[in-house]
Each structure stands twice: as structure tokens, then as C-alpha cells.
Amino acid sequence: PPPVTASAANYQPATLPVTVDAVRIRFGSPVITTLSLPEEAVREVEVTLTRPAPAGGVVVNLAAGDPAKAAISPASITITEGQTSGGLVKLSISGLVKGSTTLTGTAAGLDLTTIPLTVTGKAQLSFNRSSVYVGKGLTTYVYELYVQRKTDGASYSPDEPVTVTLG
């Protein structure tokens, strides 16, 4: 855009360069550009803007490209004027069926934001060893045996802790 200028009789004119920077929708904090979660898992993601919301705020509409693969709730989040996020309201994504889809955010006057969303197989627990020997007088070291989370044969490390009961 052209610069803004000011002029008046008997004054030197003033010029101010103008830069237009679009407000963009982002998912996650820190920002994520792709999302993967197992079937039957739920992940909460923050919806943010790159700049504070303009006067009147922004309603960000949210959707999964294929609602049979992932459920999105709520369907929209309001970011109030001057804020960059919906505060305590987070987007909840539920993995329904294994496959690929997209997560999309739209708002009036803002660019569409879409990221790939992959739903993997159900999460499972596995031990790092196929067997362990224990007995009277034997010691097992703390790091000798551990439980790991996997999905589709690969390690799965969500941000949420899990309580595992050993029997």
C-alpha cells in the first residue's frame, strides 16, 4: 500500500510507510503444522491468532475435513477483541477411525488455515522386553523394564501423562 502522508501550509510534510500484515489462525501453542492422534484418543489444542483480534473480536469456525474420521468440539471459538486466543476454551479433537483428514479454521476476513490430521490405530501399551527374570535374592534395576506407549507399531508420546497399573 502507499504510504500515509500529512501536509499543511507552512509545514514540512510527514510520510509514514504502511505495512499490511494479515491476521492468521494458528493451531497449538507452540504452533503445530500437522496433528496425529490414535483412534479413541482425545487431544486438546489451543486456537490462536498471529495478532490481537480486531474490534468486535473474531469467531473462528472449526471443522474436520472428514467428520467420520475425527470429531471437533466446539464448532467455533470466539477470540475477544485485543486477545490472541480463546482463553480457557480449547479445541477438542477426537480420533474416531484410522485414516487421514484435515483440521480447518476459518473466520470472516482471515485466511483459511488447514493442517493435515492423521488418526492412527488404537494406542497400546507394551513392555520394552519380552521377558524378565525375577526371584528370591535377585535385583531388577529401575531402568531394566519399562512400559511404553505405541500406535501402529511406533512410539506414541502425547503431552498427557498416563497412569499404568501393573499386576
Side-chain angles (χ1 to χ4, degrees), residues 26-50:
R26 296 286 186 248
F27 297 115
S29 182
V31 174
I32 56 174
T33 56
T34 184
L35 181 62
S36 180
L37 75 158
E39 288 178 291
E40 300 181 6
V42 177
R43 176 128 179 234
E44 286 193 337
V45 174
E46 191 171 5
V47 177
T48 61
L49 301 176
T50 55

Side-chain angles (χ1 to χ4, degrees), residues 142-154:
V142 126
Y143 295 107
E144 188 173 325
L145 178 68
Y146 58 91
V147 176
Q148 52 196 354
R149 294 186 268 190
K150 290 188 171 187
T151 178
D152 291 343

Side-chain angles (χ1 to χ4, degrees), residues 35-122:
L35 181 62
S36 180
L37 75 158
E39 288 178 291
E40 300 181 6
V42 177
R43 176 128 179 234
E44 286 193 337
V45 174
E46 191 171 5
V47 177
T48 61
L49 301 176
T50 55
R51 300 259 185 234
V58 172
V59 176
V60 179
N61 298 302
L62 305 156
D66 184 349
K69 291 193 173 69
I72 306 298
S73 178
S76 66
I77 291 178
T78 300
I79 300 176
T80 57
E81 178 179 334
Q83 300 301 307
T84 56
S85 77
L88 297 177
V89 179
K90 300 216 183 318
L91 169 62
S92 180
I93 305 158
S94 302
L96 302 177
V97 177
K98 185 176 176 176
S100 296
T101 185
T102 56
L103 171 61
T104 301
T106 60
L110 303 184
D111 293 339
L112 169 93
T113 297
T114 300
I115 64 169
L117 171 58
T118 303
V119 179
T120 60
K122 291 182 183 179

Side-chain angles (χ1 to χ4, degrees), residues 127-132 145:
F127 289 104
N128 66 317
R129 300 179 174 274
S130 58
S131 65
V132 148
L145 178 68

Side-chain angles (χ1 to χ4, degrees), residues 17-30:
V18 174
T19 302
V20 176
D21 189 14
V23 177
R24 299 189 194 313
I25 301 165
R26 296 286 186 248
F27 297 115
S29 182

